[in-house]
Amino acid sequence: MGRQRRSRTVLVAASLLIAVSASGCGLGDIPTRPPRPTPTPTPTLAPTPTPIPSPTASPTPTPRPTPTALVYTVKPGDNLLTIAKRFKTTGRSIAYWNRDRYPSLDPESKKYDPNRIEVGWKLTIIPGVKIDTAPEASPGSSPTPEASISLGPAESPPADGTGLLVNHGSRQSNVVVLTFDVVDGTSASGLPIVQWLVDHRVPATLFATGQSAEADAATKSILAIVAAHPDLLTVGDATWSVPDLTGLTRAAIADQLSRADSAISATTRRTTKPLFRPPDGAQNATVRAAAAAAGFPYTVLWDVDPDDGTAESSGGPTIDDIVTAVGARAQPGSIVRLHLGGENTLAALPGILDALRTSGLVTVRLTTMLGL
């Protein structure tokens, strides 16, 4: 019985093996797992070298502006010494700069005659510069339009003490003067204007009041900048308290000017004499004579005023209006009246300078224009 069961089991197993073989599923047909890809070895990177700091480069020095040459027309009574003193140079320097044009001014020639200059000669001068030997090139040999200054004849105050009314300079020149009234109460907004003038090397003349110079911190800061740049900025007298001078006595006018001069010079260390501007331009023969007797023979007005001191909200000009007004009205010898504190004055300055240059005009200080 047991032997029969074992036989039957063997037969069943054999039948199953035969059935599997008959189904056609051989070992080669059994799907196999694909081989794992051989990982690509990660290249070993060299360590990034730590950069070696380079030596600190020496800072590039701020270049000093090239001194500006001007052309001075000889007037009656001039000689090399008086001209040299006016422009803070020497007669020999002037001779060297002009020897090519005027051979009698050649210090290295046997015909050198420094005492011989003639009315009408146009002398090239570099204010504040002195030389003892011949320069490599004449400062006026190839001037640029911006650097070449031509001053026409300057008018002097009359000898009778009545004072000189100045609305403009010589129309035979190529110079203009930018003047700025220091407006009380808005001097703080005028500080950026003065700093812009210094940063861009723009000569200008300021008229300040005594009360503001004494009591207003912003005005004192402005005057300190003026004191630090005497070659660029000049300050004139705009009275002590801005009264209508035409209604004052001669003594009161003199007091207004002298008190203001004392307050302003306390910061600038320079007198405002001989330049004076009457408030709002109100003046007459009495005012001019009183001012001249007090040491202010030049009563300075203007011939160009774009009204930049009036705010736009009050009907004042826009930036473009200011630039257009100055560019259209300015001519040789013009005195432009602007305001420290005008809301659009600072923004208009670049356009004003461009307009003047386009017209061939060069800005100078009022003292330069007047030959002081």
Side-chain angles (χ1 to χ4, degrees):
M1 207 46 198
R3 188 178 294 174
Q4 291 177 347
R5 287 180 180 173
R6 285 196 295 269
S7 300
R8 189 177 296 136
T9 301
V10 172
L11 290 174
V12 171
S15 299
L16 289 173
L17 181 60
I18 293 170
V20 170
S21 300
S23 66
C25 293
L27 292 177
D29 296 324
I30 297 175
T32 58
R33 181 181 296 175
R36 292 183 180 179
T38 303
T40 304
T42 303
T44 303
L45 298 176
T48 303
T50 302
I52 300 174
S54 57
T56 303
S58 300
T60 303
T62 302
R64 292 185 177 182
T66 302
T68 300
L70 59 82
V71 178
Y72 175 77
T73 303
V74 177
K75 303 191 297 292
D78 280 341
N79 59 57
L80 281 189
L81 292 181
T82 58
I83 297 172
K85 183 178 180 180
R86 177 181 300 172
F87 293 103
K88 297 180 175 58
T89 183
T90 63
R92 192 173 183 83
S93 300
I94 297 176
Y96 269 126
W97 291 327
N98 294 276
R99 64 177 184 168
D100 293 339
R101 187 169 188 176
Y102 305 108
S104 65
L105 292 182
D106 185 357
E108 299 179 8
S109 170
K110 293 181 179 180
K111 297 181 179 180
Y112 178 47
D113 186 2
N115 296 318
R116 178 181 172 268
I117 61 173
E118 299 179 8
V119 174
W121 278 12
K122 297 185 180 300
L123 301 177
T124 298
I125 302 172
I126 306 179
V129 175
K130 301 176 183 179
I131 61 174
D132 296 319
T133 58
E136 294 182 1
S138 169
S141 58
S142 57
T144 62
E146 291 184 348
S148 179
I149 297 174
S150 178
L151 298 174
E155 188 176 359
S156 300
D160 61 5
T162 55
L164 179 68
L165 181 62
V166 181
N167 293 291
H168 58 78
S170 172
R171 297 304 192 192
Q172 301 174 36
S173 69
N174 71 335
V175 299
V176 296
V177 174
L178 299 182
T179 66
F180 294 83
D181 288 354
V182 183
V183 181
D184 290 340
T186 58
S187 300
S189 58
L191 266 171
I193 295 176
V194 179
Q195 192 59 57
W196 189 93
L197 295 172
V198 171
D199 292 343
H200 292 81
R201 302 293 301 170
V202 179
T205 300
L206 282 58
F207 285 94
T209 65
Q211 281 187 339
S212 183
E214 185 176 87
D216 181 58
T219 299
K220 289 183 178 180
S221 297
I222 288 172
L223 295 178
I225 296 175
V226 172
H229 299 277
D231 61 325
L232 200 64
L233 302 174
T234 299
V235 64
D237 198 313
T239 73
W240 172 259
S241 58
V242 202
D244 180 356
L245 297 180
T246 61
L248 300 183
T249 64
R250 290 172 63 106
I253 294 171
D255 181 66
Q256 280 280 329
L257 295 174
S258 61
R259 290 179 67 193
D261 181 52
S262 296
I264 294 168
S265 61
T267 300
T268 61
R269 305 300 177 188
R270 284 183 281 157
T271 182
T272 56
K273 298 175 181 178
L275 304 175
F276 141 70
R277 171 168 282 174
D280 295 324
Q283 54 80 38
N284 55 28
T286 300
V287 171
R288 296 195 300 274
F296 298 88
Y298 292 88
T299 300
V300 182
L301 299 185
W302 54 87
D303 63 337
V304 178
D305 184 355
D307 195 27
D308 65 309
T310 302
E312 279 191 64
S313 59
S314 300
T318 65
I319 296 170
D320 289 341
D321 290 338
I322 297 171
V323 173
T324 300
V326 175
R329 301 173 193 168
Q331 54 185 309
S334 281
I335 298 175
V336 182
R337 183 198 190 195
L338 298 167
H339 296 79
L340 292 185
E343 67 176 11
N344 289 329
T345 305
L346 177 60
L349 279 174
I352 289 174
L353 268 295
D354 286 343
L356 294 177
R357 291 189 188 106
T358 299
S359 299
L361 300 173
V362 185
T363 56
V364 297
R365 294 177 300 161
L366 185 58
T367 48
T368 303
M369 175 184 280
L370 298 177
L372 300 175

